[in-house]
Amino acid sequence: MALPMDVLEILGPGGPIAARLSHYEVRPEQSELAAAVDDVMRRGGRLMAEAGTGVGKSFAYLVPAIAAAAERRERVVIATHTIALQEQLLGKDVPFLSGILPAEFSVVLAKGRGNFLCRRRMWLALRGGKDLFDGRGHDEQLERLVEWAETTDDGTQQGLPFVPAREVWNKVNAEAGNCLGRACKHYEECFYQAGRRRLANADIIVANHHFLFADMALRRNGWNLIPDFQHLVLDEAHGIEDVAGDYLGLGVSRGMVRYLLRLLASKTGKGVLYTLQGSERAVEAVRTARDAADGFFMEVASWIRAGKPRNGRIHHAELFPRTLAQALDDVASAVQRLANAIESAETRQELTARASRAGALAGELRALIGLDREGHVFWAEEDSKGNVFLRSAPIEVGPELGEHLWKPLESVTLTSATLSAGGEGGFRHLAGRLGIETTRTLCSGSPFDYREQARLIVDRRVPDPREGDAYEDALPDVVLRHVAASRGGVFVLFTSYQSMDRCHAACVASLRSDGFVVFKQGDGLPRATMLTQFREAGRAILFGTDSFWQGVDVPGDALTTVIITRLPFAVPTHPVQEARTQAIERAGGNAFSEYSLPQAILKFKQGFGRLIRSRRDRGTVVVLDERIVTKRYGRLFVRALPDIDVEVLER
């Protein structure tokens, strides 16, 4: 096959993919998507493409990306949200295509600095010995890292044969601001620099959304993490408004401050300052800052618990004192003075990095206390573990993305199984939120026969969720009834931890007595481990909230029923939601129809999409929220789904 590459020929019945895969099925939806991606990469522009489950999105954008790289020597960045999709691309799809296409191209996974081992910091930590570590076994872990450093190919944390403690890895990784560059004696064998060189020579770069936004932020100041590229494919693009909002916002927590101070000088006499002579002033500054942090975050926590306002939104500047910010500045000054007096370049760099971090936290605190970010919403919150945060987020991310991400690129493709809120102009909502202009759109349906493979049941034997306790009291019995009717594994999806915990507590004993293995988000198991055990358990029930509505793939009989307990409207009183809806109303719009409803529909489609993952799958989606059939807007949820009948169970 000679260049130029014909993507439709490659994906077609007589192409190399079909020749290699005996059970390969040509999917018109995949070809349609591939042609659209290829066209936008060749001609330039913006494409928003919704591709239903089973379309084969990854091949549909990888083949045009390979054509751009191999035929036209144009660099493509593919950004995903989940590690699972990155593993699929790098571990399966790319090697397959590389083996069958007569094209020369390289693909590299972009990883942040914190993923790489730094040899200089590793040896520095080893010399510091037991004076650095509070936890038991940390010095033994460090010795294992030294042994591993001699055998690893890329020096990234993902290749470690064990999971190091956070405090250990953070003392040996290639953290930002703690690099000697070419002055380092380990520069030529540096794992991070080798990773940078691989990126610089890559034709196609796979990154996560956070890495992409980090690169965008650095480019505004003349730096970059990703070498210049011409084309961007954003897969799993339905969630990038929230990811961008998190990244472009500010945040300081009690845990962050305590961790930094503990690295410098802990209460138990451990930390980098205790390994150095002449550090008394710096140690005293750390003690003062620790006391200031305790007092500051106690004051913030008291304000939160007072509940005025109930959502913790901060409307007035200088609500909290700047004492902690000043104390952190004092730490930064004292540590930097100590660094300047030290002969060792390695130790000086380590201290300088800690001083810079203390100064950065002080700066963010001042901005948060002074409400110094125009167009941001500010709030305070306390999590279930007692960690206290001050946060901000941009009310609108579209202008920032439009100017600093989309504008410089020749082509941008946004794709997901859920980009359209349904109906005419269904892409308009997300395009507006993300600052995408002059956009071409494509909606490729799923090749699956949902009428044949799935049932959608609306159970009205539960009160309207807005009835509060009456709804929550009725929920467990109805959940148990549908679990009993299931053929295998069940997801029960909630929109709040409180509702999930209450229902789980009422159901768990009965479920276990009936032989089900019960999982609940937040019980301590990592998400990936929980999913693996769920798949292997057979008759299993998983109670989950936000992260299990999307990015989860459980094909076959391991998952045959998805119970959606209520329509996934975001909590309207959350500070970010409140600020965004208020901004729409001030501009003369309708916040419910323009924001809250489309957001809920997109998330509902994600939850629905957990069920059917292959042509062999069969199952039932149960909705325990009667508003989907009793409210006019409820029809829009159903209309946004693939063609499927709705069965209503009346009271």
Side-chain angles (χ1 to χ4, degrees):
M1 179 178 55
L3 297 175
M5 295 171 64
D6 186 329
V7 300
L8 294 184
E9 178 184 323
I10 292 169
L11 293 165
I17 297 177
R20 180 64 62 88
L21 298 177
S22 58
H23 298 293
Y24 180 68
E25 297 179 7
V26 176
R27 286 161 281 187
E29 299 89 353
Q30 184 184 57
S31 298
E32 183 182 32
L33 175 58
V37 176
D38 187 55
D39 183 67
V40 79
M41 286 186 176
R42 290 180 184 276
R43 297 169 54 189
R46 280 71 182 117
L47 170 68
M48 294 184 72
E50 179 173 289
T53 307
V55 164
K57 290 196 307 297
S58 59
F59 275 17
Y61 59 68
L62 277 173
V63 173
I66 293 168
E71 174 187 342
R72 304 186 295 277
R73 309 317 303 175
E74 296 168 346
R75 183 176 282 127
V76 183
V77 171
I78 299 171
T80 77
H81 183 54
T82 62
I83 293 174
L85 182 52
Q86 289 180 5
E87 290 174 343
Q88 176 192 318
L89 293 175
L90 271 297
K92 180 181 177 184
D93 296 343
V94 167
F96 174 80
L97 292 173
S98 179
I100 65 169
L101 297 179
E104 294 291 331
F105 65 95
S106 59
V107 182
V108 172
L109 176 64
K111 296 182 180 181
R113 298 189 66 120
N115 290 285
F116 290 89
L117 177 73
C118 172
R119 293 181 189 272
R120 177 187 66 78
R121 298 191 70 218
M122 177 186 73
W123 291 116
L124 189 65
L126 194 66
R127 288 200 299 271
K130 297 183 184 299
D131 288 333
L132 281 178
F133 298 112
D134 269 327
R136 291 181 178 177
H138 287 178
D139 47 349
E140 288 88 349
Q141 288 188 10
L142 183 58
E143 291 172 2
R144 293 182 68 185
L145 282 168
V146 172
E147 294 175 3
W148 172 76
E150 299 305 313
T151 60
T152 176
D153 292 327
D154 65 0
T156 60
Q157 186 178 14
Q158 291 76 13
L160 273 169
F162 67 100
V163 180
R166 178 189 175 204
E167 290 200 9
V168 174
W169 183 254
N170 283 356
K171 287 185 175 69
V172 300
N173 69 9
E175 68 177 2
N178 200 351
C179 180
L180 292 174
R182 292 186 179 275
C184 179
K185 65 181 180 181
H186 301 286
Y187 182 81
E188 293 301 326
E189 56 181 359
C190 174
F191 294 120
Y192 173 68
Q193 296 298 337
R196 292 278 291 168
R197 290 191 290 271
R198 287 192 293 271
L199 277 187
N201 294 318
D203 299 308
I204 299 172
I205 295 171
V206 178
N208 64 29
H209 292 170
H210 287 279
F211 196 92
L212 179 71
F213 294 134
D215 177 74
M216 179 191 77
L218 284 175
R219 285 177 184 273
R220 291 178 297 180
N221 300 312
W223 299 84
N224 64 290
L225 294 172
I226 304 174
D228 288 344
F229 58 101
Q230 291 74 48
H231 307 288
L232 172 63
V233 176
L234 264 166
D235 202 347
E236 303 175 306
H238 56 276
I240 62 172
E241 181 181 14
D242 290 336
V243 178
D246 288 343
Y247 190 82
L248 298 172
L250 301 172
V252 176
S253 73
R254 176 160 52 196
M256 289 180 192
V257 175
R258 284 178 170 174
Y259 183 70
L260 171 66
L261 299 178
R262 190 165 65 247
L263 285 177
L264 287 165
S266 74
K267 290 181 178 180
T268 59
K270 304 291 185 179
V272 65
L273 294 181
Y274 288 112
T275 68
L276 304 170
Q277 292 185 348
S279 62
E280 292 79 8
R281 289 184 61 184
V283 170
E284 184 57 36
V286 169
R287 291 194 186 109
T288 301
R290 187 181 296 115
D291 291 340
D294 290 343
F296 177 82
F297 285 109
M298 188 176 298
E299 185 171 341
V300 175
S302 297
W303 181 82
I304 295 169
R305 293 164 190 168
K308 295 180 181 180
R310 293 183 63 185
N311 64 355
R313 185 173 175 184
I314 301 171
H315 294 277
H316 304 291
E318 310 304 329
L319 184 63
F320 304 110
R322 298 191 175 216
T323 49
L324 176 57
Q326 183 57 55
L328 288 169
D329 271 337
D330 292 343
V331 169
S333 297
V335 172
Q336 190 60 60
R337 280 196 300 269
L338 180 64
N340 294 340
I342 288 178
E343 292 186 9
S344 166
E346 295 182 340
T347 304
R348 186 165 61 247
Q349 184 63 46
E350 193 77 18
L351 290 174
T352 297
R354 297 287 163 258
S356 297
R357 179 58 177 153
L361 281 174
E364 287 206 31
L365 264 178
R366 285 195 174 88
L368 288 162
I369 293 167
L371 310 190
D372 286 345
R373 290 293 187 274
E374 185 177 353
H376 277 225
V377 55
F378 298 81
W379 74 99
E381 65 183 17
E382 184 176 14
D383 67 15
S384 59
K385 297 180 180 179
N387 198 9
V388 179
F389 299 79
L390 286 181
R391 298 189 190 276
S392 85
I395 298 172
E396 304 287 346
V397 302
E400 185 94 358
L401 297 182
E403 181 65 23
H404 298 292
L405 187 55
W406 318 135
K407 186 177 179 180
L409 298 174
E410 291 182 21
S411 84
V412 177
T413 296
L414 280 73
T415 187
S416 169
T418 55
L419 288 182
S420 169
E424 191 173 335
F427 291 93
R428 194 177 301 129
H429 164 71
L430 203 54
R433 301 300 308 173
L434 299 178
I436 294 280
E437 297 179 356
T438 60
T439 305
R440 282 180 271 174
T441 62
L442 171 68
C443 196
S444 296
S446 172
F448 301 152
D449 185 346
Y450 280 87
R451 284 182 174 271
E452 175 67 24
Q453 293 180 245
R455 300 170 65 202
L456 176 59
I457 296 174
V458 178
D459 194 335
R460 295 193 61 196
R461 295 173 294 184
V462 189
D464 188 309
R466 293 171 299 180
E467 293 185 30
D469 283 342
Y471 164 80
E472 298 289 352
D473 289 342
L475 198 56
D477 286 342
V478 180
V479 167
L480 289 172
R481 193 179 304 165
H482 287 288
V483 169
S486 68
R487 296 186 298 105
V490 180
F491 273 8
V492 190
L493 300 179
F494 297 82
T495 59
S496 77
Y497 276 96
Q498 184 178 11
S499 181
M500 177 186 70
D501 290 343
R502 183 170 171 174
C503 186
H504 171 268
C507 293
V508 62
S510 177
L511 290 171
R512 286 175 176 160
S513 68
D514 288 339
F516 286 97
V517 180
V518 183
F519 299 92
K520 181 172 76 73
Q521 184 178 349
D523 270 359
L525 273 182
R527 181 172 178 263
T529 304
M530 187 180 297
L531 280 171
T532 299
Q533 293 185 11
F534 178 89
R535 294 186 188 102
E536 295 172 351
R539 283 169 54 85
I541 312 297
L542 190 151
F543 291 75
T545 59
D546 190 62
S547 64
F548 285 95
W549 285 75
Q550 56 188 328
V552 175
D553 191 9
V554 186
D557 287 343
L559 179 64
T560 64
T561 303
V562 173
I563 300 174
I564 296 175
T565 56
R566 65 188 299 165
L567 298 180
F569 288 102
V571 179
T573 56
H574 187 280
V576 176
Q577 300 295 323
E578 182 182 76
R580 288 176 178 170
T581 56
Q582 287 173 350
I584 293 169
E585 298 287 353
R586 282 196 300 269
N590 183 305
F592 179 76
S593 61
E594 294 177 27
Y595 181 69
S596 301
L597 181 59
Q599 292 278 333
I601 290 173
L602 290 173
K603 187 168 181 180
F604 180 77
K605 289 172 67 176
Q606 282 288 325
F608 178 89
R610 296 315 95 212
L611 182 67
I612 303 299
R613 309 301 296 175
S614 74
R615 292 185 186 275
R616 296 183 298 275
D617 289 353
R618 299 291 187 275
T620 303
V621 175
V622 180
V623 180
L624 305 182
D625 189 334
E626 68 174 10
R627 290 176 293 177
I628 199 169
V629 292
T630 61
K631 297 295 182 183
R632 181 177 298 177
Y633 63 74
R635 303 171 196 163
L636 300 178
F637 285 86
V638 177
R639 193 182 303 169
L641 297 177
D643 186 24
I644 190 172
D645 290 329
V646 181
E647 305 171 36
V648 180
L649 302 179
E650 299 290 350
R651 293 178 184 172

